[in-house]
Coordinates of all heavy atoms in Angstrom, one line a residue:
P140 N -61.6 52.0 3.7 CA -60.3 52.3 3.9 C -59.9 53.8 3.9 O -60.7 54.6 3.3 CB -59.6 51.7 2.8 CG -60.6 51.7 1.7 CD -61.9 51.6 2.2
N141 N -59.1 54.3 4.6 CA -58.5 55.6 4.4 C -57.5 55.5 3.2 O -57.4 54.5 2.6 CB -57.9 56.2 5.6 CG -56.6 55.4 6.1 OD1 -55.9 54.8 5.3 ND2 -56.4 55.4 7.4
L142 N -57.1 56.7 2.7 CA -56.2 56.7 1.5 C -55.0 55.7 1.6 O -54.7 55.0 0.8 CB -55.7 58.1 1.3 CG -54.7 58.2 0.1 CD1 -55.4 57.9 -1.2 CD2 -54.2 59.7 0.0
H143 N -54.3 55.8 2.8 CA -53.1 55.0 3.0 C -53.4 53.5 3.0 O -52.7 52.7 2.3 CB -52.5 55.4 4.4 CG -51.2 54.5 4.7 ND1 -50.2 54.7 4.1 CD2 -51.1 53.6 5.7 CE1 -49.2 53.8 4.5 NE2 -49.8 53.2 5.6
E144 N -54.5 53.1 3.6 CA -55.0 51.7 3.5 C -55.4 51.2 2.1 O -55.1 50.1 1.7 CB -56.2 51.5 4.5 CG -55.7 51.6 6.0 CD -56.9 51.9 6.9 OE1 -58.0 52.3 6.4 OE2 -56.7 51.8 8.2
A145 N -56.1 52.1 1.4 CA -56.4 51.8 0.0 C -55.2 51.6 -0.9 O -55.2 50.6 -1.7 CB -57.3 52.8 -0.6
L146 N -54.2 52.5 -0.7 CA -53.0 52.3 -1.5 C -52.3 51.1 -1.1 O -51.8 50.3 -2.1 CB -52.0 53.5 -1.3 CG -52.6 54.9 -1.7 CD1 -51.6 56.0 -1.4 CD2 -53.0 54.9 -3.1
L147 N -52.2 50.7 0.2 CA -51.5 49.5 0.5 C -52.1 48.2 0.1 O -51.5 47.3 -0.5 CB -51.3 49.4 2.1 CG -50.3 50.4 2.7 CD1 -50.4 50.3 4.2 CD2 -48.9 50.0 2.3
L148 N -53.4 48.2 0.2 CA -54.2 46.9 -0.1 C -54.3 46.8 -1.7 O -54.3 45.6 -2.2 CB -55.7 47.1 0.3 CG -55.7 46.9 2.0 CD1 -57.2 47.1 2.3 CD2 -55.2 45.6 2.4
S149 N -54.3 47.8 -2.5 CA -54.3 47.8 -3.9 C -53.0 47.7 -4.6 O -52.9 47.0 -5.8 CB -55.1 48.9 -4.5 OG -54.3 50.1 -4.3
G150 N -52.0 48.2 -3.9 CA -50.7 48.3 -4.6 C -50.6 49.4 -5.6 O -49.6 49.6 -6.3
E151 N -51.5 50.3 -5.7 CA -51.6 51.4 -6.6 C -51.0 52.7 -5.9 O -50.7 52.6 -4.7 CB -53.0 51.7 -7.0 CG -53.7 50.5 -7.8 CD -53.1 50.3 -9.0 OE1 -52.5 51.2 -9.6 OE2 -53.2 49.2 -9.5
K152 N -50.9 53.7 -6.7 CA -50.2 54.9 -6.2 C -51.1 56.2 -6.1 O -50.6 57.1 -5.6 CB -49.0 55.3 -7.2 CG -48.0 54.2 -7.3 CD -46.8 54.7 -8.2 CE -45.7 53.5 -8.3 NZ -45.2 53.2 -7.0
D153 N -52.4 56.0 -6.5 CA -53.3 57.1 -6.2 C -54.6 56.6 -5.7 O -55.0 55.4 -6.1 CB -53.5 58.0 -7.4 CG -54.3 57.3 -8.6 OD1 -55.6 57.5 -8.5 OD2 -53.7 56.6 -9.4
G154 N -55.3 57.4 -5.0 CA -56.5 56.8 -4.2 C -57.7 56.4 -5.2 O -58.2 55.4 -5.0
Q155 N -57.9 57.1 -6.3 CA -59.0 56.8 -7.1 C -58.7 55.5 -7.9 O -59.6 54.7 -8.0 CB -59.2 57.9 -8.2 CG -59.7 59.1 -7.5 CD -60.0 60.2 -8.6 OE1 -60.8 60.1 -9.5 NE2 -59.6 61.5 -8.5
T156 N -57.5 55.3 -8.4 CA -57.2 54.1 -9.0 C -57.3 52.9 -8.0 O -57.8 51.8 -8.3 CB -55.8 54.1 -9.6 OG1 -55.7 55.2 -10.6 CG2 -55.4 52.8 -10.4
A157 N -56.8 53.1 -6.8 CA -56.9 52.1 -5.8 C -58.3 51.7 -5.5 O -58.5 50.4 -5.4 CB -56.1 52.6 -4.5
A158 N -59.1 52.7 -5.3 CA -60.5 52.2 -5.0 C -61.1 51.5 -6.1 O -61.9 50.6 -5.8 CB -61.3 53.5 -4.7
R159 N -60.8 51.9 -7.3 CA -61.4 51.2 -8.5 C -60.9 49.8 -8.5 O -61.7 48.9 -8.9 CB -61.2 51.9 -9.8 CG -62.0 53.3 -9.8 CD -62.0 53.8 -11.3 NE -62.7 55.1 -11.3 CZ -64.0 55.3 -11.4 NH1 -64.7 54.2 -11.4 NH2 -64.5 56.5 -11.4
V160 N -59.6 49.5 -8.2 CA -59.1 48.2 -8.2 C -59.9 47.4 -7.3 O -60.3 46.2 -7.5 CB -57.6 48.2 -8.0 CG1 -57.1 46.8 -7.6 CG2 -56.8 48.7 -9.2
L161 N -60.1 47.9 -6.0 CA -60.7 47.2 -4.9 C -62.2 46.9 -5.2 O -62.7 46.0 -4.7 CB -60.5 48.0 -3.6 CG -59.0 48.1 -3.2 CD1 -58.9 49.1 -2.0 CD2 -58.4 46.8 -2.7
T162 N -62.9 47.8 -6.0 CA -64.3 47.5 -6.3 C -64.5 46.3 -7.1 O -65.7 45.9 -7.4 CB -64.9 48.7 -7.0 OG1 -64.2 49.1 -8.1 CG2 -64.9 49.9 -6.0
A163 N -63.4 45.7 -7.6 CA -63.7 44.4 -8.4 C -64.2 43.3 -7.4 O -64.7 42.3 -7.8 CB -62.4 44.0 -9.0
Y164 N -64.0 43.6 -6.1 CA -64.3 42.6 -5.1 C -65.5 43.0 -4.2 O -66.3 42.1 -3.8 CB -63.1 42.3 -4.1 CG -61.8 42.0 -4.9 CD1 -60.9 43.0 -5.2 CD2 -61.7 40.8 -5.5 CE1 -59.8 42.7 -5.9 CE2 -60.5 40.4 -6.3 CZ -59.5 41.4 -6.5 OH -58.5 41.2 -7.1
C165 N -65.6 44.3 -4.0 CA -66.7 44.8 -3.1 C -66.7 46.3 -3.3 O -66.0 46.9 -3.9 CB -66.5 44.5 -1.6 SG -64.9 45.3 -0.9
S166 N -67.9 46.9 -2.7 CA -68.0 48.3 -2.7 C -67.0 48.9 -1.8 O -66.6 48.3 -0.8 CB -69.5 48.7 -2.3 OG -70.3 48.3 -3.4
V167 N -66.6 50.2 -2.1 CA -65.5 50.7 -1.3 C -65.8 52.2 -0.9 O -66.2 52.9 -1.8 CB -64.2 50.8 -2.2 CG1 -63.0 51.5 -1.4 CG2 -63.7 49.3 -2.4
L168 N -65.7 52.6 0.3 CA -65.9 54.0 0.8 C -64.5 54.5 1.1 O -64.0 54.1 2.1 CB -66.8 54.0 2.0 CG -67.0 55.5 2.5 CD1 -67.9 56.3 1.4 CD2 -67.6 55.5 3.8
L169 N -63.9 55.2 0.1 CA -62.6 55.8 0.2 C -62.8 57.1 1.1 O -63.4 58.1 0.8 CB -62.1 56.1 -1.0 CG -60.6 56.8 -1.0 CD1 -59.6 55.8 -0.3 CD2 -60.1 57.2 -2.4
K170 N -62.3 57.0 2.4 CA -62.4 58.2 3.3 C -61.5 59.2 2.9 O -60.4 59.2 2.3 CB -62.1 57.7 4.8 CG -63.1 56.7 5.2 CD -62.8 56.3 6.7 CE -61.6 55.2 6.7 NZ -61.7 54.6 8.1
G171 N -62.0 60.5 3.2 CA -61.4 61.7 2.7 C -60.3 62.4 3.6 O -59.7 63.4 3.3
G172 N -60.1 61.8 4.7 CA -59.3 62.5 5.8 C -57.9 62.8 5.4 O -57.3 63.7 5.8
H173 N -57.2 61.9 4.5 CA -55.8 62.0 4.1 C -55.8 62.4 2.6 O -54.6 62.3 2.1 CB -55.1 60.8 4.5 CG -55.1 60.4 5.9 ND1 -56.1 59.6 6.4 CD2 -54.3 60.8 7.0 CE1 -55.8 59.4 7.8 NE2 -54.8 60.2 8.1
R174 N -56.9 62.7 2.0 CA -56.9 62.9 0.6 C -56.4 64.3 0.2 O -57.0 65.3 0.7 CB -58.2 62.5 -0.1 CG -58.6 61.2 0.2 CD -60.1 60.8 -0.4 NE -60.0 61.0 -1.9 CZ -61.1 60.9 -2.6 NH1 -62.3 60.6 -2.0 NH2 -61.1 61.0 -3.9
E175 N -55.5 64.5 -0.7 CA -55.1 65.9 -1.3 C -55.9 66.2 -2.4 O -56.2 67.4 -2.6 CB -53.6 65.8 -1.6 CG -52.7 65.6 -0.4 CD -51.2 65.7 -0.8 OE1 -51.0 65.9 -2.0 OE2 -50.4 65.6 0.0
D176 N -56.5 65.2 -3.2 CA -57.2 65.4 -4.4 C -58.7 66.0 -4.0 O -59.2 66.9 -4.7 CB -57.3 64.3 -5.3 CG -58.0 63.1 -4.6 OD1 -57.9 62.9 -3.4 OD2 -58.6 62.2 -5.3
K177 N -59.3 65.4 -2.9 CA -60.6 65.8 -2.5 C -60.6 65.9 -0.9 O -61.1 64.9 -0.3 CB -61.6 64.8 -3.1 CG -61.7 64.8 -4.5 CD -62.8 63.8 -5.0 CE -63.0 63.8 -6.5 NZ -64.0 62.8 -6.9
P178 N -59.9 66.8 -0.4 CA -59.9 66.9 1.1 C -61.2 66.8 1.9 O -62.1 67.6 1.5 CB -59.1 68.2 1.4 CG -58.5 68.6 0.1 CD -59.3 68.0 -0.9
G179 N -61.3 65.9 2.7 CA -62.6 65.8 3.5 C -63.7 65.1 2.9 O -64.8 64.9 3.5
I180 N -63.6 64.9 1.5 CA -64.7 64.3 0.8 C -64.5 62.7 0.9 O -63.4 62.1 0.5 CB -64.7 64.7 -0.7 CG1 -65.0 66.2 -0.8 CG2 -65.7 63.9 -1.5 CD1 -65.1 66.7 -2.1
D181 N -65.5 62.0 1.2 CA -65.6 60.5 1.2 C -66.2 60.1 -0.2 O -67.1 60.7 -0.6 CB -66.5 59.9 2.3 CG -65.8 60.1 3.7 OD1 -64.7 60.7 3.8 OD2 -66.5 59.8 4.6
S182 N -65.5 59.2 -0.8 CA -66.1 58.7 -2.1 C -66.6 57.2 -2.1 O -65.8 56.4 -1.7 CB -65.0 59.0 -3.2 OG -64.7 60.3 -3.4
L183 N -67.8 57.0 -2.4 CA -68.4 55.6 -2.3 C -68.2 55.1 -3.8 O -68.9 55.6 -4.7 CB -69.8 55.7 -1.9 CG -70.5 54.4 -2.0 CD1 -69.9 53.3 -1.1 CD2 -72.1 54.6 -1.6
Y184 N -67.4 54.1 -3.9 CA -67.2 53.4 -5.2 C -68.1 52.1 -5.2 O -67.9 51.2 -4.4 CB -65.8 53.1 -5.5 CG -64.9 54.3 -5.8 CD1 -64.6 55.1 -4.7 CD2 -64.5 54.6 -7.0 CE1 -63.7 56.2 -4.9 CE2 -63.6 55.6 -7.2 CZ -63.3 56.4 -6.2 OH -62.5 57.6 -6.5
F185 N -69.1 51.9 -6.1 CA -70.0 50.8 -6.1 C -69.3 49.6 -6.8 O -68.6 49.7 -7.7 CB -71.3 51.1 -6.7 CG -72.1 52.1 -6.0 CD1 -71.9 53.5 -6.3 CD2 -73.0 51.8 -5.0 CE1 -72.6 54.5 -5.6 CE2 -73.7 52.7 -4.3 CZ -73.6 54.1 -4.6
H186 N -69.5 48.5 -6.1 CA -68.9 47.2 -6.6 C -69.2 46.9 -8.1 O -70.3 47.0 -8.5 CB -69.4 46.0 -5.8 CG -69.0 44.6 -6.3 ND1 -67.7 44.4 -6.7 CD2 -69.8 43.6 -6.6 CE1 -67.7 43.1 -7.1 NE2 -69.0 42.6 -7.1
T187 N -68.2 46.7 -8.9 CA -68.3 46.2 -10.2 C -67.0 45.5 -10.6 O -65.9 45.9 -10.3 CB -68.4 47.5 -11.2 OG1 -68.3 47.0 -12.6 CG2 -67.4 48.5 -10.9
Q188 N -67.2 44.4 -11.3 CA -66.0 43.6 -11.7 C -65.1 44.3 -12.7 O -63.9 44.0 -12.7 CB -66.5 42.3 -12.3 CG -67.3 41.4 -11.3 CD -67.7 40.0 -11.8 OE1 -67.6 39.9 -13.1 NE2 -68.1 39.2 -11.0
Q189 N -65.7 45.3 -13.4 CA -64.8 46.0 -14.3 C -64.0 47.2 -13.7 O -63.2 47.9 -14.4 CB -65.8 46.5 -15.5 CG -66.3 45.5 -16.4 CD -67.4 44.7 -15.8 OE1 -68.2 45.2 -15.0 NE2 -67.5 43.3 -16.1
G190 N -64.4 47.5 -12.5 CA -63.8 48.6 -11.9 C -64.2 50.1 -12.4 O -63.4 51.0 -12.3
T191 N -65.2 50.1 -13.1 CA -65.7 51.3 -13.7 C -67.1 51.7 -13.4 O -67.9 52.3 -14.1 CB -65.6 51.2 -15.3 OG1 -66.4 50.1 -15.7 CG2 -64.2 51.0 -15.8
G192 N -67.5 51.4 -12.1 CA -68.9 51.7 -11.7 C -69.1 53.1 -11.2 O -68.1 53.9 -11.4
N193 N -70.3 53.4 -10.7 CA -70.6 54.7 -10.3 C -69.8 55.0 -9.0 O -69.5 54.2 -8.2 CB -72.1 54.8 -10.1 CG -72.9 54.6 -11.3 OD1 -72.5 55.0 -12.4 ND2 -74.1 54.1 -11.2
V194 N -69.6 56.4 -8.9 CA -68.9 56.9 -7.7 C -69.8 58.1 -7.2 O -70.3 58.9 -7.9 CB -67.5 57.5 -8.1 CG1 -66.9 58.0 -6.7 CG2 -66.7 56.4 -8.8
L195 N -70.0 58.0 -5.9 CA -70.7 59.1 -5.2 C -69.9 59.8 -4.2 O -69.3 59.2 -3.3 CB -71.9 58.5 -4.4 CG -72.7 59.4 -3.4 CD1 -73.4 60.5 -4.3 CD2 -73.6 58.7 -2.5
D196 N -69.6 61.1 -4.5 CA -68.8 61.9 -3.6 C -69.7 62.5 -2.5 O -70.8 63.0 -2.7 CB -68.1 63.0 -4.4 CG -66.9 62.5 -5.1 OD1 -66.4 61.5 -4.8 OD2 -66.5 63.3 -6.1
I197 N -69.3 62.3 -1.3 CA -69.9 62.8 -0.1 C -69.2 63.9 0.6 O -68.1 63.6 1.2 CB -70.2 61.7 0.9 CG1 -70.9 60.4 0.2 CG2 -71.1 62.1 2.1 CD1 -70.9 59.2 1.1
P198 N -69.6 65.1 0.4 CA -68.9 66.3 0.9 C -68.7 66.4 2.4 O -69.7 65.8 3.1 CB -69.5 67.4 0.3 CG -70.8 67.1 0.1 CD -70.9 65.6 -0.2
A199 N -67.8 67.1 3.0 CA -67.7 67.2 4.5 C -68.7 68.3 4.9 O -69.1 69.2 4.0 CB -66.3 67.7 4.8
G200 N -69.1 68.3 6.1 CA -70.0 69.3 6.6 C -69.2 70.5 6.9 O -68.0 70.7 6.7
K201 N -69.9 71.6 7.4 CA -69.2 72.9 7.6 C -69.0 73.1 9.1 O -68.3 74.1 9.5 CB -70.2 74.0 7.2 CG -70.4 73.9 5.7 CD -71.2 75.0 5.2 CE -71.4 75.0 3.7 NZ -72.3 76.1 3.1
R202 N -69.4 72.2 10.0 CA -69.1 72.5 11.4 C -67.6 72.2 11.8 O -66.9 71.5 11.0 CB -70.0 71.5 12.3 CG -69.7 70.0 12.4 CD -70.5 69.3 13.3 NE -71.8 69.1 12.7 CZ -72.9 68.7 13.5 NH1 -72.7 68.6 14.7 NH2 -74.1 68.5 12.9
K203 N -67.1 72.8 12.8 CA -65.8 72.7 13.3 C -65.6 71.3 13.9 O -66.4 70.9 14.9 CB -65.4 73.7 14.3 CG -63.9 73.7 14.7 CD -63.5 74.9 15.7 CE -62.0 74.8 16.0 NZ -61.6 75.9 16.8
V204 N -64.6 70.5 13.5 CA -64.4 69.2 14.1 C -63.0 69.1 14.6 O -62.1 69.8 14.4 CB -64.7 68.1 13.0 CG1 -66.1 68.1 12.5 CG2 -63.7 68.3 11.8
Y205 N -62.8 68.1 15.5 CA -61.5 67.9 16.1 C -61.0 66.4 15.9 O -61.9 65.5 15.8 CB -61.6 68.1 17.6 CG -62.1 69.4 17.9 CD1 -63.6 69.7 18.1 CD2 -61.3 70.5 18.0 CE1 -64.0 70.9 18.5 CE2 -61.8 71.8 18.4 CZ -63.1 72.0 18.6 OH -63.6 73.2 18.9
P206 N -59.8 66.1 15.8 CA -59.4 64.7 15.6 C -59.8 63.9 16.7 O -60.0 64.4 17.9 CB -57.8 64.9 15.6 CG -57.5 66.3 15.2 CD -58.6 67.0 15.8
K207 N -60.2 62.6 16.5 CA -60.7 61.8 17.5 C -60.1 60.4 17.3 O -60.0 59.8 16.2 CB -62.2 61.6 17.3 CG -63.0 62.8 17.8 CD -63.1 62.9 19.2 CE -63.8 64.2 19.7 NZ -63.1 65.4 19.4
H208 N -59.8 59.7 18.5 CA -59.5 58.4 18.6 C -60.7 57.5 18.2 O -61.7 57.7 18.9 CB -59.0 58.1 20.0 CG -58.9 56.7 20.4 ND1 -58.0 55.9 19.7 CD2 -59.2 55.8 21.4 CE1 -57.8 54.7 20.2 NE2 -58.6 54.6 21.2
G209 N -60.5 56.6 17.3 CA -61.7 55.8 16.9 C -62.7 56.2 15.9 O -63.7 55.7 15.7
S210 N -62.3 57.3 15.2 CA -63.3 58.0 14.2 C -63.6 57.0 13.1 O -64.7 56.9 12.7 CB -62.8 59.3 13.6 OG -61.5 59.1 13.0

Side-chain angles (χ1 to χ4, degrees):
N141 59 32
L142 175 61
H143 179 65
E144 291 160 346
L146 297 180
L147 285 175
L148 291 173
S149 67
E151 299 295 333
K152 297 185 182 300
D153 74 89
Q155 294 187 52
T156 303
R159 291 195 182 280
V160 166
L161 295 170
T162 56
Y164 309 101
C165 61
S166 294
V167 176
L168 181 68
L169 180 63
K170 294 181 286 192
H173 301 92
R174 298 176 65 180
E175 294 183 359
D176 60 332
K177 297 180 178 181
I180 294 177
D181 293 355
S182 296
L183 175 60
Y184 292 76
F185 293 90
H186 170 53
T187 168
Q188 293 181 349
Q189 291 75 34
T191 55
N193 294 332
V194 181
L195 173 67
D196 283 339
I197 307 172
K201 296 182 179 181
R202 72 176 77 197
K203 184 176 182 179
V204 297
Y205 306 91
K207 287 287 177 288
H208 174 54
S210 56

